[in-house]
Amino acid sequence: MSALRRMLGARDWFYLLCLLVPFALYGLGLKAASAHSQFRGAGFGDLLGLLLSDVLFDLGYALLWVGAFAVAGRGRARPVLLALLHGTTILVLLVQTAAYQYFRTTGSTLDYGIIALSVAQFGEIKAVIASEVSVLSAALLAAVVLYAAFGPWLLTRALFRPRGEARPRLPVEAAGFLLLAAGFISLSGMAGGGASASFARDGFMNVVVTGLLERSETARFDLSSMPGVRPMETPTETRLVPTPRTQRKNVVFIHLESTRAFSVTPYNEEIDTTPFLAGLSRRSIFAERAYTTVPHTSKAIVSVNCGIMPNLTQEITESEPGGIPARCLPELLEERGYDTVLFQSATEEFEDRRAVAKNFGYEEFYPLESMDTEGYDRVNYFGYEDDIMLEPSRRWLEEHRDGPFMATYLTVTSHHDYNVPPDFETKEFSDKELVNKYQNTVHYQDAFLKKLFEQYKELGLYDETVFVVMADHGEGFGEHGLYQHDNTIYNEGIKIPLLFHDPRRFEGGRVVETPVQNLSVLPTVVDLLGYRIEGGEYRGRSLLDPLEPRPLKVSCWVENRCLALIDGDEKYIYHFGHREEEYFDLSEDPLEKDNIIGRQREERIDRLRNELLFWEAYVRAMYEQHIASLRQEETTATPMEGTSPAGD
């Protein structure tokens, strides 16, 4: 104790403790609240284990500043040291608060990639953040930040007279504190192994660690050096060739936002949310087991429109010039004389949807900003009720009714935070309030779908149109501790409605039982129109052909968070250490409650894991190769007329 008193005077000890003790209690309180909600059945010892990293970090953080003040707590260095102390503490508090809020909202841990993306797209997502932060939460955070900035100074000023305290500097002892600080902080980054490693790690340290891990596990797959792995071929030179079966029918895509198969009537007869869709499914090609490729809209619609896997990165590379290594269906149909248009009831700002639509090949794009909002209601932070698209759609169809055309509609009402217009009659679908709100947005969406089909009938376009009704992804409500969709790799997040409706065919309906993905949309539509694809191949298969089961692969939106492989009734999930690996028998356990990975041979699990990691590396390499080829074309392009290669 005497050594501690010699290192710092009473005033400095009081000042530091006034800041560091509440700082530690605040962080531990947030982690304890998250642990209690996520691991309700865990014992006291397990919960303490989940807090170990936070305790180590808090100890290391406290020792760091005690040592720093012992070395440079006087003279000209003191104001700088104080500014660093308060600034760093506020930063850590903000990150820990964001980690808590992100986990509470999504069930996923916050990492560096999410923060980097949020900062880059803050203008787009600030409404999302605001929707999740209550007035009470904002006031509490403001109070915490204000205390961290001014509280210790005010308390110290009130209790201590403003006089200097002469004391010797003890660089040796201070160095010991700094070494201990480095050790505790390092251990906090490594603490909490096992199935909940990222959760058990202190929230701030998890962001730091994930930021330092620049290379993912896919780095060990050097595709260029692996024998038998050919350079990947992308469908960038494809075209549609007419055949004797060709019909110049219109094509309509209807993307049902955040609509999981569990919550629509054709996939769950116990719930009457979508009676219109149920009737339509009985007169259509109905994919009984359809999955998205990535549970995030801007990624999923790449697979639908372009027939390829999206880039497995959080960055919206599909909005960048040349960002899609394929010719997409709107572009292919435009060459065959089709007019193309995309409507959405959401704002065009989010994830640069206008640029994405252009890259797909849509000639016209009508986002929320182009529509008259009078008489319609905002339903979430992205947009208005879907009925707002009906009048712009009618006007466009009247101008293009001679066809052929391709029209796409992106809904938004069923997106978080799940609101219907105030005049829409709601029903009681669930005794859980949040789920019931969501199911009513799905019910509203079904009503919109019916109105849209009636519009096509009124305009005399229905019989000459092929309709594709599908979801971009599903939605989670804590079934596996996850909410919303980006990282919900379980069936509530990735199993989607998918049907193809041709009024002149399939009157009795056709059920496809083989598991398929939204990659099949492009080749199925081309097949329904009677065209043949030349100049390349797409990964999906037409649902008109007999289908042999083959493994399907799905990725979370957040990088290095989770991958899944679905092979018939077997499903394997790899969580990159964030959770325990999982293996389900979907024929016996469709809700994925019983993880039977312990019954599988270790060699089989190793093979499945490597297959997923190889696939992820392969997809990433496809995009890297495409970008490299574009850059090569730019550097080797023929000089403009009138200039020499040297630019003279």
Side-chain angles (χ1 to χ4, degrees):
M1 292 297 294
S2 59
L4 295 179
R5 286 195 295 268
R6 288 198 306 272
M7 286 185 65
L8 293 178
R11 183 185 180 92
D12 281 349
W13 274 115
F14 182 81
Y15 191 97
L16 286 172
L17 291 176
C18 280
L19 180 61
L20 296 175
V21 171
F23 160 82
L25 292 176
Y26 178 79
L28 287 171
L30 292 181
K31 173 57 79 64
S34 297
H36 176 70
S37 65
Q38 179 73 6
F39 303 96
R40 293 185 182 275
F44 183 71
D46 294 329
L47 292 177
L48 286 180
L50 293 172
L51 297 177
L52 177 61
S53 173
D54 300 74
V55 172
L56 291 172
F57 176 76
D58 291 339
L59 283 173
Y61 190 80
L63 292 172
L64 171 67
W65 290 109
V66 170
F69 267 72
V71 172
R74 286 289 180 268
R76 296 179 180 179
R78 186 175 180 85
V80 176
L81 195 61
L82 285 171
L84 286 173
L85 168 65
H86 288 277
T88 304
T89 302
I90 290 172
L91 174 64
V92 174
L93 288 171
L94 290 174
V95 171
Q96 289 178 334
T97 304
Y100 166 76
Q101 189 70 25
Y102 185 74
F103 184 82
R104 188 186 71 83
T105 303
T106 68
S108 297
T109 52
L110 184 69
D111 59 25
Y112 175 81
I114 292 292
I115 288 184
L117 187 69
S118 299
V119 171
Q121 298 182 350
F122 183 75
E124 299 177 8
I125 68 168
K126 59 184 178 183
V128 182
I129 298 173
S131 72
E132 287 298 326
V133 179
S134 66
V135 175
L136 181 61
S137 298
L140 176 61
L141 179 59
V144 168
V145 171
L146 285 173
Y147 178 83
F150 304 108
W153 175 75
L154 290 173
L155 289 172
T156 305
R157 183 182 177 88
L159 296 176
F160 287 84
R161 294 181 180 180
R163 59 183 178 82
E165 293 186 63
R167 60 177 176 80
R169 294 187 180 182
L170 304 173
V172 175
E173 295 181 10
F177 268 61
L178 293 175
L179 286 174
L180 281 173
F184 281 128
I185 292 175
S186 298
L187 286 173
S188 74
M190 296 182 286
S196 306
S198 62
F199 177 84
R201 193 181 291 132
D202 172 82
F204 181 79
M205 284 304 298
N206 192 57
V207 171
V208 172
V209 170
T210 53
L212 294 174
L213 296 177
E214 297 180 357
R215 296 181 64 84
S216 73
E217 294 193 34
T218 58
R220 59 186 162 124
F221 289 105
D222 182 4
L223 301 181
S224 62
S225 63
M226 295 185 70
V229 179
R230 297 184 302 170
M232 50 224 73
E233 297 179 1
T234 54
T236 55
E237 303 294 332
T238 51
R239 60 188 180 278
L240 301 184
V241 178
T243 71
R245 297 189 302 110
T246 299
Q247 304 177 70
R248 290 172 62 81
K249 286 195 167 189
N250 307 313
V251 176
V252 170
F253 281 1
I254 306 166
H255 293 268
L256 306 178
E257 171 65 47
S258 302
T259 303
R260 59 186 190 173
F262 293 163
S263 290
V264 297
T265 309
Y267 295 84
N268 182 2
E269 295 180 354
E270 296 180 0
I271 188 167
D272 193 29
T273 51
T274 59
F276 179 77
L277 186 63
L280 196 67
S281 68
R282 292 189 286 269
R283 296 176 283 113
S284 307
I285 301 177
F286 176 68
E288 194 172 60
R289 299 172 62 187
Y291 296 88
T292 190
T293 49
V294 176
H296 188 85
T297 303
S298 293
K299 301 298 181 180
I301 59 178
V302 170
S303 297
V304 169
N305 284 271
C306 309
I308 61 171
M309 281 297 304
N311 198 354
L312 302 180
T313 172
Q314 293 161 246
E315 297 179 13
I316 309 302
T317 58
E318 49 271 18
S319 69
E320 299 173 359
I324 301 177
R327 302 196 74 205
C328 305
L329 187 61
E331 182 180 4
L332 296 173
L333 289 176
E334 189 271 334
E335 288 183 344
R336 306 310 309 177
Y338 279 67
D339 296 315
T340 57
V341 63
L342 188 152
F343 300 93
Q344 67 175 43
S345 48
T347 175
E348 70 173 289
E349 293 180 358
F350 190 69
E351 298 184 342
D352 203 0
R353 190 60 53 75
R354 181 177 291 277
V356 174
K358 181 180 179 181
N359 282 351
F360 288 168
Y362 286 101
E363 298 172 294
E364 297 184 66
F365 174 57
Y366 293 94
L368 172 64
E369 288 82 354
S370 68
M371 300 176 185
D372 184 3
T373 60
E374 185 176 355
Y376 298 97
D377 293 284
R378 179 176 287 278
V379 291
N380 52 45
Y381 36 79
F382 287 146
Y384 277 64
E385 58 180 294
D386 299 319
D387 281 2
I388 199 172
M389 293 187 285
L390 291 172
E391 188 54 37
S393 168
R394 180 180 293 275
R395 290 196 301 267
W396 192 90
L397 293 175
E398 287 173 344
E399 294 177 5
H400 299 82
R401 63 193 313 162
D402 293 335
F405 60 80
M406 177 182 179
T408 291
Y409 302 84
L410 286 171
T411 67
V412 77
T413 301
S414 49
H415 193 284
H416 177 268
D417 52 344
Y418 322 121
N419 300 301
V420 295
D423 59 347
F424 182 74
E425 184 178 353
T426 59
K427 296 184 177 181
E428 191 71 26
F429 292 111
S430 173
D431 56 1
K432 297 179 180 178
E433 181 182 1
L434 189 63
V435 175
N436 193 59
K437 285 184 65 179
Y438 167 73
Q439 311 255 77
N440 272 286
T441 64
V442 174
H443 186 47
Y444 166 88
Q445 207 167 226
D446 189 64
F448 163 76
L449 191 64
K450 182 178 180 180
K451 292 175 185 177
L452 186 63
F453 271 72
E454 289 174 349
Q455 182 178 96
Y456 274 78
K457 291 178 180 179
E458 292 169 4
L459 295 174
L461 298 170
Y462 173 73
D463 289 336
E464 299 303 321
T465 301
V466 173
F467 297 88
V468 185
V469 183
M470 66 206 132
D472 48 1
H473 50 75
E475 198 78 345
F477 291 93
E479 293 87 353
H480 293 88
L482 298 169
Y483 292 84
Q484 300 186 45
H485 48 264
D486 291 333
N487 300 322
T488 306
I489 200 74
Y490 304 95
N491 280 1
E492 61 267 20
I494 65 173
K495 189 177 180 183
I496 59 172
L498 174 62
L499 62 85
F500 299 81
H501 180 69
D502 185 338
R504 296 187 181 276
R505 302 172 68 177
F506 318 115
E507 183 59 34
R510 178 188 295 182
V511 176
V512 177
E513 298 179 352
T514 305
V516 298
Q517 281 182 293
N518 48 8
L519 291 167
S520 292
V521 171
L522 186 152
T524 302
V525 170
V526 170
D527 203 356
L528 285 169
L529 296 177
Y531 286 100
R532 184 178 71 253
I533 297 173
E534 290 188 355
E537 294 183 357
Y538 293 89
R539 295 289 297 171
R541 300 172 294 170
S542 170
L543 301 194
L544 273 65
D545 299 330
L547 297 177
E548 290 295 326
R550 69 183 185 188
L552 309 178
K553 300 178 181 70
V554 184
S555 171
C556 284
W557 179 57
V558 175
E559 295 175 48
N560 299 334
R561 183 60 62 100
C562 50
L563 302 170
L565 187 149
I566 302 164
D567 191 357
D569 289 324
E570 308 300 305
K571 180 176 179 180
Y572 165 72
I573 305 176
Y574 177 60
H575 291 283
F576 290 89
H578 297 282
R579 292 184 174 205
E580 181 184 358
E581 294 173 275
E582 295 174 293
Y583 192 97
F584 300 103
D585 180 353
L586 299 178
S587 64
E588 299 290 335
D589 181 25
L591 298 181
E592 300 160 291
K593 298 295 186 181
D594 184 17
N595 180 14
I596 57 174
I597 196 163
R599 305 178 202 167
Q600 312 307 311
R601 295 181 60 185
E602 185 176 344
E603 296 82 0
R604 173 170 170 74
I605 298 303
D606 289 343
R607 181 181 63 79
L608 294 175
R609 184 190 311 114
N610 287 338
E611 184 176 344
L612 278 174
L613 291 171
F614 176 86
W615 166 77
E616 184 189 37
Y618 195 87
V619 174
R620 291 180 187 271
M622 178 180 73
Y623 280 86
E624 292 169 2
Q625 177 178 292
H626 175 66
I627 295 300
S629 66
L630 292 178
R631 290 172 178 166
Q632 180 66 22
E633 290 176 5
E634 291 177 359
T635 58
T636 59
T638 304
M640 295 178 60
E641 186 176 349
T643 64
S644 69
D648 294 335

